[in-house]
């Protein structure tokens, strides 16, 4: 029996990715169909400080002290020990599992971090607040993703829809009516860091044009928020299409994502766009709930390696 288990959901960015790095607003929602799970087991036979990490999906079973200091989990333990001001952890075994695809724009790294921080801090008797979990996860994201906006750690830690502007307190988004998304994985692994740095290079070369594109995306985020708060769900569809078009211009789409977006629209989705860093990863389609299965099937026929249907509920 695990002594302590914690989970964290995946997430999608509904609108506003990339522009959010440049202080424009974005909206993100949790995806509970996929999740990261961390279980901490006490090891009563080992001396204090003996920590074993198991992550079967990546074939990892190792003693923490034998892992490279640059490893994400090692850094997480270091950060947590500093936060809790504890010299060492009791002997324990941390098992990490996740159903969130890796490097696919669904927040797998942040979710693993949130689940581990929650489980470990509770295990040592000092459960961290959601604020601190989010802040520590942000620090992790900085190490591995360069210049993250902070949207991933926030939506995953709070597990609620958020309206997010970098360096400002985030706002919980009051969704008036449920809405349904089909998520489709291109199967192409993509690096958020390189997508973000590609946009940065192009922004440096064409600053005025890119600032204007970011402003257009910001306007989409503001209009999407109004639609969701007023329960005018169908009107969000064209906003997603428009956002996808702007992301194409930013240079972060790819033929596979464009093909999936077209297939979703053809199958009756209200709108579709890539989500997250792009250059692969996942697409989201906003659908009328009775159409969800059809759209998911059309996406698989158009090459998606897997699909999920998720419903975002009013709080
Ligand atoms: O690829 P993801 O899901 O980690 O999303 C990244 C979102 C960006 O706006 C591209 C980057 C960021 O830090 O906000």
């Amino acid at each position: 029996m695990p002594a302590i288990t914690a989970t964290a959901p995946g997430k999608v960015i509904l609108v506003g990715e990339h522009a959010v790095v440049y202080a424009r607003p974005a909206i993100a929602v949790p995806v509970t169909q996929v999740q990261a799970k961390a279980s901490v087991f006490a090891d009563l036979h080992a001396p204090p400080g003996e920590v074993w990490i198991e992550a079967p999906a990546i074939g990892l079973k190792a003693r923490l002290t034998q892992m490279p200091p640059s490893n994400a989990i090692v850094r997480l333990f270091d950060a947590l020990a500093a936060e809790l001001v504890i010299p060492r952890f009791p002997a324990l075994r941390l098992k990490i599992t996740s159903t969130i695809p890796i490097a696919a724009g669904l927040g797998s790294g942040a979710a693993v971090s949130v689940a581990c921080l929650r489980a470990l801090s509770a295990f040592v008797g000092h459960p961290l607040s959601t604020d601190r979990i989010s802040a520590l996860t942000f620090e992790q994201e900085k190490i591995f993703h360069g210049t993250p906006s902070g949207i991933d750690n926030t939506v995953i830690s709070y597990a609620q829809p958020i309206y997010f502007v970098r360096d400002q307190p985030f706002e919980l988004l009051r969704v008036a009516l449920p809405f349904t998304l089909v998520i489709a994985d291109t199967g192409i692994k993509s690096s958020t860091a390189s997508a973000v740095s590609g946009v940065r290079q192009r922004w440096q070369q064409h600053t005025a044009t890119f600032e204007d594109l970011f402003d257009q995306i910001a306007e989409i985020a503001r209009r999407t928020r109004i639609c969701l708060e007023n329960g005018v769900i169908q009107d969000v569809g064209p906003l997603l299409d428009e956002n996808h078009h702007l992301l194409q211009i930013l240079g972060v789409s790819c033929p596979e994502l464009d093909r999936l977006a077209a297939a979703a629209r053809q199958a009756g989705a209200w709108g579709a766009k890539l989500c997250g860093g792009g250059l692969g990863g996942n697409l989201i389609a906003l659908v009328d709930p009775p159409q969800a299965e059809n759209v998911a099937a059309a996406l698989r026929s158009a090459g998606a390696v897997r699909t999920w249907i998720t419903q975002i509920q009013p709080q």
Side-chain angles (χ1 to χ4, degrees):
M1 284 287 287
I4 298 277
T5 290
T7 61
K11 69 97 222 298
V12 290
I13 298 182
L14 198 59
V15 284
E17 54 273 269
H18 285 289
V20 71
V21 175
Y22 299 82
R24 280 22 174 231
I27 295 173
V29 299
V31 176
T32 49
Q33 277 76 3
V34 287
Q35 61 174 20
K37 182 164 145 186
S39 302
V40 187
F41 304 80
D43 188 344
L44 302 175
H45 306 293
E50 183 146 323
V51 170
W52 280 83
I53 312 295
E54 271 178 46
I58 54 167
L60 174 70
K61 185 170 183 182
R63 207 183 250 134
L64 191 66
T65 49
Q66 288 167 342
M67 292 164 64
S70 58
N71 178 281
I73 294 296
V74 177
R75 287 187 183 258
L76 196 74
F77 270 88
D78 290 346
L80 186 58
E83 172 81 12
L84 300 177
V85 201
I86 52 173
R88 72 170 90 83
F89 285 84
L92 63 86
R93 185 163 61 86
L94 170 67
K95 184 174 176 190
I96 304 165
T97 56
S98 175
T99 55
I100 309 173
I102 295 168
L106 296 184
S108 71
V112 165
S113 168
V114 168
C116 289
L117 289 168
R118 271 219 174 100
L120 287 165
S121 63
F123 179 78
V124 297
H126 300 284
L128 287 176
S129 68
T130 302
D131 264 358
R132 291 310 301 156
I133 300 249
S134 181
L136 291 176
T137 298
F138 184 47
E139 293 307 312
Q140 285 280 112
E141 295 272 291
K142 277 194 211 160
I143 298 168
F144 296 99
H145 297 300
T147 55
S149 61
I151 193 167
D152 276 25
N153 53 285
T154 308
V155 66
I156 289 170
S157 299
Y158 286 87
Q160 293 197 54
I162 59 165
Y163 184 82
F164 181 89
V165 182
R166 181 178 194 152
D167 299 329
Q168 290 184 21
F170 73 95
E171 295 174 65
L172 292 178
L173 190 86
R174 310 236 161 266
V175 175
L177 289 176
F179 61 94
T180 302
L181 296 174
V182 179
I183 304 170
D185 189 352
T186 59
I188 301 168
K189 300 240 177 300
S190 69
S191 149
T192 300
S194 60
V196 168
S197 86
V199 171
R200 184 163 299 277
Q201 276 170 22
R202 292 187 285 281
W203 169 74
Q204 278 160 350
Q205 286 158 4
H206 311 284
T207 308
T209 309
F210 270 58
E211 286 291 325
D212 180 56
L213 292 167
F214 297 150
D215 284 341
Q216 292 183 52
I217 294 174
E219 188 51 30
I220 289 173
R222 285 189 281 269
R223 282 160 57 198
T224 300
R225 175 187 194 164
I226 293 168
C227 290
L228 295 177
E229 286 178 341
N230 291 290
V232 198
I233 304 301
Q234 201 169 337
D235 287 5
V236 174
L239 295 170
L240 299 191
D241 290 342
E242 223 177 296
N243 196 167
H244 184 74
H245 179 61
L246 292 167
L247 288 162
Q248 286 174 318
I249 302 174
L250 291 184
V252 293
S253 192
C254 64
E256 293 80 0
L257 283 164
D258 293 343
R259 189 167 63 234
L260 292 185
R265 290 174 198 134
Q266 207 166 15
W270 287 331
K273 66 177 270 292
L274 70 87
C275 68
L279 302 175
N282 278 272
L283 175 108
I284 50 170
L286 179 71
V287 297
D288 196 7
Q291 293 295 320
E293 288 294 349
N294 280 347
V295 172
L299 284 164
R300 289 192 298 274
S301 299
V305 295
R306 60 199 141 170
T307 55
W308 297 267
I309 296 170
T310 189
Q311 197 169 54
I312 302 358
Q313 299 289 343
Q315 285 68 54

